[in-house]
Amino acid sequence: MGRLDGPPSVVLVGASGYGRRYLREIAELEAAGIVVLAGVCEVAPLDAEGLRLVGGRPLGADLPRLLAETRPDIGIVSTPMHTHVPLARHVLASGAHLLLEKPPTPTLRQWRELVELTSGVACQVGFQSLGSGAVRRLADLVRRGELGEVTGIGVRGAWSRDHAYYARAPWAGRRTLDGEPVVDGALTNPYAHAVVTALAVDGSDDVSAIELELLRANDIEADDTSCLRLRTGRGTTVVVAVTLCADVEREPVLVVHGSRRRAELHYTLDRLVVGGVDEVFDHVTPLENLVAHLRDPSVPLNSPLAACGGFMRVLEAVRTAAEPVPIDRKWLRDKGGRVVVDGVDDVVVRAADELRTFAELGAPWSVLGRAADYGVEAVVPPDVVARPALHPVRTLGGAVVTGEHPVDHPWHRGIGLALPDVDGVNLWGGRSYRRNRGYVEGELGQVREAADGTVEWCDSVGAVLLRERRRIRRRVVAGGWELTWTSVLSADAEVVLNSPGSLGRAGAGYGGWFWRLPDVDPELVRVVTPDGRGADDLNGVVADWLAVVVADPVSPWTAVLSGPRDPWFVRVAQYRGIGSALCWDRPRIVRPGRDVTIEVVMSLYDGVVTPDGQPDVRSKRRWDVMR
């Protein structure tokens, strides 16, 4: 690739929409003697401004012909993303250098194929933010450790788009168009700069552990309110929390959380704030940078196509993810022809500051807003100890996976902590089991929540026996969502926990974390562990994980449990209940200063999946033991 002797000639592909900005920039650079406009390829008629800017140069819809006639040094492709690849191929086939508007391609495979075609020519992607001196300065501060250890990078974005924005073109707000991927969502188009800038500041183009929460408030296919969390090749956690449904529009801000200092980058304004010092930097456009590179190859491209791998892996994750979840209309309101999501302005700020997802922050409209309800039942049946629990719990697809107050065991409810015997007090419900006597009437205690959120387990007159520090975490995972239940039990005096199993009834060691399944046909329920054993052999087994599949013909679902080292309590035939047995065959003693911790992780998926959450395309072989 040789140096240019004079101003490079440029063909612009797409002069309407965003392409008009390129046409205006070309006119300014041409007036300064930096480039020469060779021609414009446009399929739609141009308005008066467009015709004036073209100024009599070749104009038409046949790109190969235009390229052959003009033989430009540079071809700029600024058209809808799903048209990028064939148009870019024409430009590269002509021997011209390429400036490709972002996002570069709609699939990871197409990006890789296009990279292979760019040998010997320069190919720049139109990520405007990467031409900012503020971005370069912040990346330098991170690289030199001047902010201290970087604990994470968060980006918040609160823009608003009206209904006309999505009506402006057939591809706007679409995931596909005529069978072709478009991927015109918030993360991959208007906020694509947020993703690529975070990766540039971190100094890594490698990404992993991608988590997505894709939602939509507008009547579109793609996401308009989204949260992305990933880990870079340097081990940095990046959270990008954005919306196009803000109440008050604000420019996006990238926050670097350093152990010594915090930095805020306002990348659309070329503004950097570090330690209270506010600076505004220069900016070089992708076209200016490309021309400088062609004149002097020692000037690096700000955004070469080959360096977009991290962003493209994010785009691919969005493209292949489940369809965005519609936000319940009770959280939406119309404001002058645009949709506003209640509270989203504050939530995106918190997500960037705390590096947490919408679901983890408890946003009521999040992907997990309807996944699990927590609290005490409104109506408590007789002989049942009311206590806070999760019910109903749902898959992302809406399948309910918990039951409440079944006829066979009215004290069973959803997912929660079940303690049938605390110093002889029944804190679950029904009759109490006594050694050598069986089930008899006994003392029913009470459970209450203290002002500080502690759960207090009390006897019948309200004296506290146990205190529980409870934490319930929810997050989206690939193909589903994950619930982590943590209970830490403490006592002021020695307390003995028992179960029927520890009091002599073989196989009845229930008590601890407990999940009551819905009332489904037991023939549809299959349970399996890593060694392949089925439900009939699992009661009392210790296993790293336990998978439950409910093969409902309409809404099948899968749950994978892991965490505890206590035996699993498993019932399927008699009733459908799964638990972590705290006192399987011997008592558990809680002593002052020696807390007992119970933690169970449940991953929930729609359909039949393998234990790692992947669709079980080989189900007939992989899950044979369950059938």
Side-chain angles (χ1 to χ4, degrees):
M1 182 173 63
R3 296 172 183 262
L4 293 174
D5 295 329
S9 57
V10 178
V11 160
L12 174 62
V13 186
S16 301
Y18 194 85
R20 183 59 55 88
R21 299 190 183 193
Y22 279 110
L23 188 56
R24 292 171 185 146
E25 182 186 6
I26 291 169
E28 293 175 1
L29 296 180
E30 188 172 46
I34 297 174
V35 301
V36 174
L37 179 62
V40 173
C41 180
E42 175 57 66
V43 297
L46 290 180
D47 58 14
E49 182 200 29
L51 292 172
R52 176 178 59 79
L53 292 172
V54 172
R57 263 69 67 95
L59 171 65
D62 189 336
L63 179 58
R65 179 177 178 180
L66 179 63
L67 292 169
E69 291 176 352
T70 59
R71 301 183 61 80
D73 296 302
I74 298 172
I76 302 176
V77 175
S78 182
T79 57
M81 181 172 59
H82 61 291
T83 66
H84 281 187
V85 172
L87 297 174
R89 286 178 176 273
H90 286 309
V91 171
L92 295 172
S94 75
H97 304 286
L98 175 64
L99 171 50
L100 184 61
E101 182 48 31
K102 62 82 186 166
T105 65
T107 72
L108 183 62
R109 176 184 58 80
Q110 290 174 326
W111 168 75
R112 288 172 173 154
E113 291 174 352
L114 203 57
V115 169
E116 293 295 322
L117 298 177
T118 60
S119 177
V121 296
C123 183
Q124 173 99 300
V125 179
F127 283 114
Q128 298 280 346
S129 62
L130 299 189
S132 173
V135 173
R136 292 191 295 273
R137 171 62 175 158
L138 181 54
D140 185 57
L141 292 175
V142 170
R143 184 177 63 255
R144 296 193 330 224
E146 294 192 20
L147 303 179
E149 180 183 354
V150 174
T151 57
I153 298 174
V155 187
R156 62 179 186 257
W159 280 334
S160 184
R161 297 292 183 264
D162 60 16
H163 303 308
Y165 174 82
Y166 296 107
R168 75 190 192 281
W171 51 267
R174 300 290 296 271
R175 287 168 64 86
T176 62
L177 183 65
D178 298 328
E180 295 297 321
V182 174
V183 207
D184 184 44
L187 281 172
T188 52
N189 198 355
Y191 287 108
H193 288 101
V195 177
V196 79
T197 305
L199 297 177
V201 167
D202 182 69
S204 174
D205 189 46
D206 187 23
V207 301
S208 62
I210 295 174
E211 301 173 47
L212 291 167
E213 288 186 40
L214 305 177
L215 303 107
R216 61 174 179 86
N218 287 277
D219 186 17
I220 57 176
E221 289 182 353
D223 58 294
D224 57 33
T225 300
S226 306
C227 190
L228 159 72
R229 182 163 59 190
L230 57 80
R231 186 169 57 249
T232 72
R234 297 179 67 247
T236 306
T237 296
V238 175
V239 170
V240 180
V242 295
T243 185
L244 299 176
C245 304
D247 187 13
V248 179
E249 278 203 301
R250 294 179 177 86
E251 288 303 303
V253 178
L254 182 151
V255 181
V256 178
H257 300 276
S259 59
R260 291 174 52 198
R261 288 190 292 176
R262 169 187 170 112
E264 291 194 355
L265 171 67
H266 303 250
Y267 63 81
T268 61
L269 305 175
D270 304 309
R271 178 180 165 218
L272 178 62
V273 182
V274 182
V277 179
D278 194 330
E279 293 183 82
V280 177
F281 292 76
D282 64 344
H283 188 99
V284 177
T285 70
L287 179 55
E288 290 172 327
N289 174 240
L290 176 58
V291 172
H293 173 75
L294 295 179
R295 287 177 174 167
D296 180 2
S298 67
V299 176
L301 290 174
N302 288 332
S303 182
L305 177 67
C308 294
F311 170 79
M312 287 305 304
R313 280 184 280 278
V314 171
L315 183 146
E316 186 74 0
V318 173
R319 183 183 74 84
T320 58
E323 293 185 0
V325 176
I327 296 175
D328 194 302
R329 298 202 63 81
K330 69 181 179 181
W331 305 112
L332 308 179
R333 54 191 169 88
D334 189 84
K335 186 176 181 180
R338 59 188 179 89
V339 176
V340 172
V341 177
D342 284 342
V344 71
D345 301 46
D346 294 332
V347 172
V348 296
V349 172
R350 288 186 59 201
D353 283 347
E354 301 176 30
L355 302 177
R356 299 168 68 193
T357 66
F358 295 158
E360 290 171 342
L361 291 171
W365 38 259
S366 74
V367 170
L368 300 183
R370 295 180 61 253
D373 294 341
Y374 178 78
V376 178
E377 57 268 68
V379 178
V380 182
D383 298 324
V384 170
V385 177
R387 61 200 180 280
L390 289 167
H391 177 78
V393 178
R394 302 177 178 88
T395 66
L396 293 183
V400 175
V401 305
T402 53
E404 179 183 43
H405 302 315
V407 174
D408 54 72
H409 293 77
W411 48 93
H412 289 185
R413 179 172 182 262
I415 292 172
L417 201 62
L419 300 177
D421 189 319
V422 180
D423 269 353
V425 178
N426 184 338
L427 284 160
W428 198 1
R431 294 187 298 167
S432 301
Y433 191 86
R434 296 290 182 259
R435 187 182 297 276
N436 300 324
R437 295 171 58 198
Y439 287 98
V440 298
E441 298 298 325
E443 179 184 359
L444 290 180
Q446 52 186 282
V447 180
R448 64 191 182 216
E449 289 188 89
D452 63 357
T454 301
V455 180
E456 296 178 336
W457 299 77
C458 310
D459 64 16
S460 58
V461 298
V464 177
L465 302 172
L466 281 177
R467 290 183 174 86
E468 176 197 354
R469 300 191 304 277
R470 179 175 293 183
R471 185 182 182 193
I472 300 170
R473 287 164 289 171
R474 294 178 274 187
R475 71 184 185 107
V476 176
V477 296
W481 71 280
E482 181 182 275
L483 166 71
T484 302
W485 178 291
T486 305
S487 294
V488 180
L489 302 178
S490 61
D492 297 330
E494 186 175 287
V495 173
V496 179
L497 308 181
N498 270 299
S499 72
S502 67
L503 292 172
R505 185 186 174 203
Y510 54 78
W513 182 90
F514 187 80
W515 165 33
R516 177 64 194 232
L517 279 69
D519 186 17
V520 296
D521 184 343
E523 291 299 316
L524 300 178
V525 181
R526 300 293 182 265
V527 187
V528 71
T529 54
D531 62 7
R533 283 186 285 183
D536 292 342
D537 304 317
L538 290 181
N539 195 38
V541 74
V542 175
D544 289 339
W545 56 260
L546 182 147
V548 180
V549 175
V550 175
D552 184 273
V554 177
S555 300
W557 52 269
T558 302
V560 181
L561 308 177
S562 62
R565 296 309 302 164
D566 293 316
W568 292 105
F569 174 80
V570 179
R571 286 280 191 273
V572 173
Q574 181 183 355
Y575 61 85
R576 269 60 66 202
I578 306 289
S580 173
L582 192 62
C583 314
W584 175 252
D585 57 5
R586 65 192 64 184
R588 181 71 62 93
I589 300 175
V590 184
R591 296 182 171 90
R594 298 180 64 179
D595 298 348
V596 172
T597 299
I598 304 164
E599 183 165 280
V600 178
V601 179
M602 169 188 271
S603 300
L604 277 171
Y605 309 94
D606 288 290
V608 177
V609 302
T610 59
D612 61 358
Q614 299 302 311
D616 188 12
V617 297
R618 301 172 299 156
S619 59
K620 288 186 178 179
R621 289 191 292 115
R622 186 71 178 265
W623 295 102
D624 266 349
V625 68
M626 299 170 59
R627 286 170 164 75

